[in-house]
Amino acid sequence: MLELYHGGPGANSLKALLPLHEKGLEYRSHLLNLIEFEQHEPWFVKINPNGQVPVLVHDGRVITESTVINEYVDECFAAVPLRPAEPFGRAQMRVWTKFVDEYFCPALSFLGWHAMIRTAVSGLSKEEFEAKIARIPLKEQQDKWRESAAQVWTPAQLDDWRRKVRVSIQRMDKGMQGPWMLGQQFTLADVSLFSMLIGMPQRYADIVNEKDSPKVVDWYARMMERPAVKAVLAIPRPAAQTLAARQAQSGAR
Amino acid sequence: MLELYHGGPGANSLKALLPLHEKGLEYRSHLLNLIEFEQHEPWFVKINPNGQVPVLVHDGRVITESTVINEYVDECFAAVPLRPAEPFGRAQMRVWTKFVDEYFCPALSFLGWHAMIRTAVSGLSKEEFEAKIARIPLKEQQDKWRESAAQVWTPAQLDDWRRKVRVSIQRMDKGMQGPWMLGQQFTLADVSLFSMLIGMPQRYADIVNEKDSPKVVDWYARMMERPAVKAVLAIPRPAAQTLAARQAQSGAR
């Protein structure tokens, strides 16, 4: 049996959801509320000591890291291949998936947290916030969340992350080899990149647009037409509790 | 034909050299002098626009990124397999190679540059140094080199990188599943980790030692007995020109 622990159709969770749907695999879905920090709950940290989603459980064995999960799923369920058959194509694919993990995703992630953290921590007292931070298993994540909440990042840092996002999109546009990133075959390179691109034509219209990145815009439209993409994007994403709801809950304690 | 552009047996170049020797493959070796910034020479940037080693050229096709190169080589030359045969083992292997690339290597790399940069830039005028920096294709690398040379990093930053190195070694020690990282089979996980570990029992004796990381120490000794490891470590590493040699060269111009 396949089980996926995920946060809904965004970022790395989206990345792991897509191949399951592309391949038409049955899986049990466990949706975690990331804005409520559910991935740091003790029950989940028992499954992934890093306290991060997505996690795939296949016949009881735990596989972490979305990029690793996707190659694993493609190796186990090869009927609809999502990797090139020959080694050079696979190497090209892995340069893209690695680029997403090491460059594109960290830049987007910092910008995303910077924008979202106010919502995520609104209505929490300092003690409640620190209690949530203390549960995060990875020190790097604790630092990032604490710094985000304190809004300590300088305009120069924010500009540099935006620069990296722009560099990523330009590299994609220049590297597009056909209807899909590597040419005629839809691969995990498309999956990884799309999991970052989702929503960007709206949120980053100055970077992803017809003039500056026409190939990316066309590719994005093709992605949105894929049945698996439509199915995954229809999965509801949990929202943060509103401040009013938190206060009501708090008052009810 | 196989050709490898590399900087000798250290870090990511060591990582790409080892599988070629483990598999007994013939290759043409192109040794670059990284301390003299040879990887940023225009002739090399034509081969890898990122200006980074190692680079594998296989029958004229260029493959970059040491981790990608190693999976490619294992796919093309499978006679001596360096990856587990079944998907779950491969996933475990990839979690380690990814951990090296995203966590362990960056921490070691910052500490290494901090220690080495004085030698690398000794005897260069400000103009000569800036001319070298200007040739670096990646802005992130430019920033890192300039900051290293200025020794701007705080003791707290240096301490945090040392903490990450310690975390990496502890994770390795805890995760060791047999004589090799994944158990009975020697894999690319061992290759990636060893390419970071080389020399650490001497340079980081407070972290890699019998008391704190006994399994890592034993594993390191086993690694050093492998014929391929011995062969690769015998490859000479280019040294920085001495200050006296630079001045003599400069005077001769």
Side-chain angles (χ1 to χ4, degrees):
Chain A
M1 188 178 70
L2 285 170
E3 299 178 76
L4 189 74
Y5 294 83
H6 63 94
N12 290 327
S13 288
L14 172 56
K15 198 202 285 180
L17 282 161
L18 276 172
L20 301 178
H21 286 257
E22 288 285 348
K23 288 169 180 283
L25 298 170
E26 295 279 327
Y27 66 98
R28 183 178 293 172
S29 171
H30 300 276
L31 184 59
L32 280 79
N33 190 329
L34 306 188
I35 316 249
E36 296 290 335
F37 311 90
E38 196 178 354
Q39 72 275 31
H40 305 136
E41 296 276 0
W43 71 266
F44 184 69
V45 173
K46 279 188 197 151
I47 297 170
N48 181 6
N50 287 347
Q52 292 177 316
V53 289
V55 169
L56 184 74
V57 182
H58 184 200
D59 296 337
R61 299 208 281 190
V62 172
I63 300 110
T64 60
E65 301 286 352
S66 55
T67 304
V68 175
I69 290 170
N70 283 358
E71 291 227 34
Y72 175 83
V73 167
D74 201 53
E75 281 172 7
C76 290
F77 307 97
V80 180
L82 295 176
R83 299 181 302 171
E86 61 90 38
F88 185 69
R90 288 198 183 182
Q92 289 186 299
M93 181 197 87
R94 289 182 182 130
V95 168
W96 281 113
T97 59
K98 192 171 167 65
F99 175 74
V100 167
D101 292 351
E102 297 179 8
Y103 189 91
F104 191 7
C105 180
L108 263 186
S109 170
F110 267 100
L111 290 165
W113 274 109
H114 183 76
M116 190 158 59
I117 195 81
R118 284 178 208 246
T119 308
V121 302
S122 74
L124 293 182
S125 70
K126 191 165 185 304
E127 289 71 27
E128 286 169 328
F129 175 72
E130 281 299 328
K132 284 194 187 285
I133 294 286
R135 295 191 319 183
I136 302 176
L138 299 180
K139 182 182 179 299
E140 293 70 31
Q141 293 286 333
Q142 290 190 350
D143 291 348
K144 180 172 145 185
W145 289 43
R146 194 175 275 122
E147 288 168 3
S148 300
Q151 305 267 313
V152 297
W153 293 324
T154 63
Q157 283 175 307
L158 294 169
D159 283 351
D160 199 52
W161 288 323
R162 283 192 77 85
R163 181 189 64 77
K164 287 186 179 178
V165 170
R166 188 180 297 274
V167 165
S168 302
I169 297 296
Q170 287 302 311
R171 185 172 293 199
M172 245 187 105
D173 208 68
K174 201 175 155 194
M176 189 82 62
Q177 292 182 34
W180 310 111
M181 280 308 304
L182 299 184
Q184 294 305 314
Q185 188 187 355
F186 176 83
T187 71
L188 296 179
D190 299 290
V191 168
S192 272
L193 287 160
F194 183 72
S195 69
M196 302 295 122
L197 261 289
I198 182 70
M200 282 188 65
Q202 292 79 45
R203 284 183 291 112
Y204 291 87
D206 59 321
I207 294 176
V208 180
N209 58 61
E210 282 288 356
K211 183 172 156 290
D212 298 308
S213 50
K215 289 181 184 169
V216 171
V217 168
D218 287 355
W219 166 90
Y220 188 87
R222 280 188 292 277
M223 286 293 308
M224 295 297 274
E225 289 303 313
R226 295 184 72 88
V229 170
K230 288 183 184 179
V232 170
L233 294 183
I235 299 171
R237 294 181 76 168
Q241 288 183 37
T242 62
L243 177 54
R246 278 219 188 98
Q247 286 170 336
Q249 197 181 43
S250 184
R253 274 179 212 146
Chain B
M1 190 178 68
L2 285 171
E3 297 178 77
L4 189 73
Y5 294 83
H6 64 94
N12 291 327
S13 288
L14 172 56
K15 198 202 286 181
L17 282 161
L18 277 172
L20 300 179
H21 286 258
E22 289 284 349
K23 289 171 179 283
L25 298 170
E26 294 279 327
Y27 66 97
R28 183 179 293 174
S29 170
H30 300 276
L31 184 59
L32 280 78
N33 190 331
L34 306 188
I35 315 248
E36 296 289 335
F37 312 91
E38 197 177 354
Q39 72 274 32
H40 307 136
E41 295 277 358
W43 71 265
F44 184 69
V45 173
K46 278 189 197 150
I47 298 171
N48 181 6
N50 287 345
Q52 292 178 315
V53 289
V55 169
L56 184 74
V57 182
H58 185 199
D59 296 337
R61 299 208 281 190
V62 172
I63 300 111
T64 60
E65 302 286 352
S66 55
T67 304
V68 175
I69 289 170
N70 283 358
E71 290 228 33
Y72 174 83
V73 166
D74 200 53
E75 281 172 7
C76 289
F77 307 97
V80 180
L82 295 176
R83 299 181 303 171
E86 61 91 36
F88 184 69
R90 288 198 184 182
Q92 290 186 298
M93 181 197 86
R94 288 181 183 130
V95 168
W96 281 112
T97 59
K98 192 171 166 66
F99 175 73
V100 167
D101 292 351
E102 297 180 7
Y103 189 92
F104 191 7
C105 180
L108 264 186
S109 170
F110 267 100
L111 289 166
W113 273 110
H114 182 76
M116 192 159 58
I117 195 81
R118 285 179 207 244
T119 308
V121 303
S122 74
L124 293 182
S125 71
K126 191 166 184 304
E127 290 70 28
E128 285 168 330
F129 175 72
E130 280 299 328
K132 285 194 185 286
I133 294 287
R135 296 191 318 184
I136 302 177
L138 300 179
K139 183 183 178 299
E140 292 72 29
Q141 293 286 333
Q142 290 190 349
D143 291 348
K144 180 173 145 186
W145 289 42
R146 196 176 274 120
E147 288 168 3
S148 301
Q151 306 268 311
V152 298
W153 294 323
T154 63
Q157 283 174 307
L158 294 170
D159 284 351
D160 199 52
W161 288 322
R162 283 193 78 85
R163 181 189 65 78
K164 287 185 178 177
V165 170
R166 189 180 297 275
V167 165
S168 301
I169 297 296
Q170 288 301 310
R171 185 172 292 197
M172 246 188 105
D173 208 68
K174 202 175 153 194
M176 189 81 62
Q177 293 182 33
W180 310 112
M181 281 310 302
L182 301 183
Q184 294 305 314
Q185 188 186 355
F186 176 83
T187 72
L188 296 179
D190 299 291
V191 168
S192 272
L193 287 160
F194 183 72
S195 69
M196 301 296 122
L197 261 287
I198 183 69
M200 282 188 66
Q202 292 79 47
R203 283 182 291 111
Y204 291 87
D206 58 320
I207 295 175
V208 181
N209 59 60
E210 282 288 354
K211 182 172 156 289
D212 298 309
S213 49
K215 289 181 183 169
V216 170
V217 168
D218 287 353
W219 165 90
Y220 187 86
R222 280 188 292 277
M223 286 293 307
M224 294 298 272
E225 289 303 313
R226 295 184 73 88
V229 170
K230 288 183 184 180
V232 170
L233 294 183
I235 299 171
R237 295 181 74 169
Q241 288 182 37
T242 62
L243 176 55
R246 278 217 187 97
Q247 285 172 337
Q249 197 180 46
S250 186
R253 272 179 211 145

